[in-house]
Amino acid sequence: MSTVYDEQPDLGELELEDRHALRRVAGLSTELQDISEVEYRALRLERVVLIGVWAEGSLASAENSLRELSRLAETAGSEVLDGLIQRRSRVDAATYVGSGKARELADIVASAEADTVICDGELTPSQLRRLESVVQVKVIDRTALILDIFAQHARSREGKAQVELAQLQYMLPRLRGWGDSLSRQAGGRVAGGGGIGTRGPGETKLETDRRRLRARISRLQKDIGNFSTGRKVQRGQRRRREVPSVAIAGYTNAGKSSLLNALTGAGVLVEDALFATLDPAVRRAQTASGRDYTLTDTVGFVRHLPHQLVEAFRSTLEETAEADLILHVVDGSDPEPEAQIAAVRGVLSEIGAGQVPEIIVVNKIDSADPVVLQGLRAREPGSLSVSAKTGAGLAALAEAVEAALPRLDVQVKLVVPYTRGDLVARAHAEGEVLEAEHLADGTRLDARVPPGLAAQLQAASAAGAATPVA
């Protein structure tokens, strides 16, 4: 095989051998048995070759990113045949990997009998077209792959609407036509003398598709806004009752849903797959002292999470931004947990949740490398190590959550008549009862409660001719 090398002005910045090689990533190569055709314009992933550009960071980091891309591709239902990395100072503006490497990639795709190439990054429309023209198979990027996975996993009406919105926003600048798709529908004299009935404004099919997409995007944005209004009402009701909220955030497949189940017995879907949870699940929990709070399981994040998804899911992610506390779950068994933390914090900052207090929860310690855990504890002081699977560390986590919840401002010490037992029950449900004693004329309470409930307790105490305890 002849090799054509790409020339770059900054040749001295990179090792010559690294630049001139497409590195295979171990474990991402498979023998093929047969080949089946795919419809070109449909996003159907069957047999794929992965390609990434190592432009910064270490080789180990680049290989881990490509292995994550392999897991994403498998989650979407494809078979990964090979994985390749090219060392470059920057991504090629024309074909992502450069013209010479694109031709080498085409030879690898042909010999592997693959039908799709997946690039570990977001490609511009021109990069997609030019790379496809060289490799002669369908090319998609990391963003399109993640959107496809979200589309497969969306279950609720809101989740489906959010995913469709993200897909359309991604697709709009990448619309293209083949053959007759670019011809005029009707174009007056341009119609070639077709006569009556053939003359018109001359809108192309591409323009028609774009107009329809924009109309659909506007409709979806309106629908998602209505869903967001309903969620704001629910949050407002919880706020009025002064119920603190805790959001479980973190990398995809870090064990967030497992942790929710372990803390609350919620029974939400748990699956060893990327993006198994797209619809937020809100469950009621209680501290050891009896104080109520809510736990919200949110959609998982990933490196280079598509901007379209962040925007489409912004109404859902508001649950995290408006929480009183974030449990930031990290997969302790991952080879690069620090990269997970950085990716998640980047998204949290983007949605306005960067200032919300957080507790780093290192999950899956039953299968983690002790050396990695030790280094993570040193870099993240105050982090807690747990295993949602075995239950290790959950008691300490529950104590940390209780200590981190915002305190209720009003402390009351008074006697409530037995005729207002409903207020005593609310004090237990909505506040924190420090001490309760049954006397002859009522229940003596020492509790921290919301301001509104404190006023009702004081009024009931005064009406019962009871004297507040000093």
Side-chain angles (χ1 to χ4, degrees), residues 173-225:
R174 291 169 174 81
L175 276 182
R176 45 186 167 160
W178 284 266
D180 293 339
S181 296
L182 293 177
S183 63
R184 295 278 184 177
Q185 289 179 322
R189 294 181 180 178
V190 181
I196 297 173
T198 63
R199 290 180 285 271
E203 186 177 39
T204 66
K205 185 178 185 304
L206 197 57
E207 292 167 343
T208 304
D209 290 343
R210 285 176 178 157
R211 177 166 48 80
R212 289 174 176 171
L213 253 63
R214 291 190 183 100
R216 180 61 179 164
I217 287 173
S218 297
R219 177 63 183 174
L220 288 170
Q221 289 173 333
K222 182 178 179 181
D223 292 343
I224 292 172

Side-chain angles (χ1 to χ4, degrees), residues 37-56:
E37 295 184 1
V38 295
E39 200 281 320
Y40 193 116
R41 298 183 70 176
L43 184 57
R44 290 174 52 209
L45 308 178
E46 294 183 356
R47 295 182 173 87
V48 303
V49 172
L50 311 179
I51 180 69
V53 171
W54 171 24
E56 58 184 16

Side-chain angles (χ1 to χ4, degrees), residues 299-321:
V299 61
F301 303 143
V302 72
R303 294 178 184 90
H304 313 301
L305 189 68
H307 176 72
Q308 296 91 346
L309 277 175
V310 176
E311 286 301 314
F313 278 76
R314 185 170 293 276
S315 62
T316 300
L317 296 174
E318 286 175 357
E319 292 282 353
T320 305

Side-chain angles (χ1 to χ4, degrees), residues 48-53 65-66 69 72-73 84 91 95-97 105 116-124 127-128 131-132 135 138-146 170 304:
V48 303
V49 172
L50 311 179
I51 180 69
V53 171
S65 180
L66 207 68
L69 186 68
L72 289 168
L84 307 162
V91 170
T95 60
Y96 181 68
V97 293
L105 178 62
T116 304
V117 170
I118 305 179
C119 299
D120 191 17
E122 183 167 336
L123 273 61
T124 65
Q127 285 174 327
L128 280 171
L131 189 56
E132 279 184 342
V135 299
K138 178 176 57 188
V139 176
I140 67 168
D141 58 17
R142 185 185 183 98
T143 298
L145 177 60
I146 293 175
Y170 170 82
H304 313 301

Side-chain angles (χ1 to χ4, degrees), residues 430-460:
E430 302 176 23
E432 182 181 1
V433 176
L434 305 176
E435 186 178 354
E437 181 182 359
H438 297 293
L439 306 178
D441 52 351
T443 303
R444 184 174 67 86
L445 279 183
D446 181 0
R448 294 189 182 94
V449 294
L453 179 56
Q456 295 181 52
L457 286 168
Q458 291 165 352

Side-chain angles (χ1 to χ4, degrees), residues 20 64 110 118 125 144 149 200 247 267 331 357 377 400 427:
H20 288 177
N64 286 333
I118 305 179
I149 296 171
D331 184 355
R377 293 190 191 102

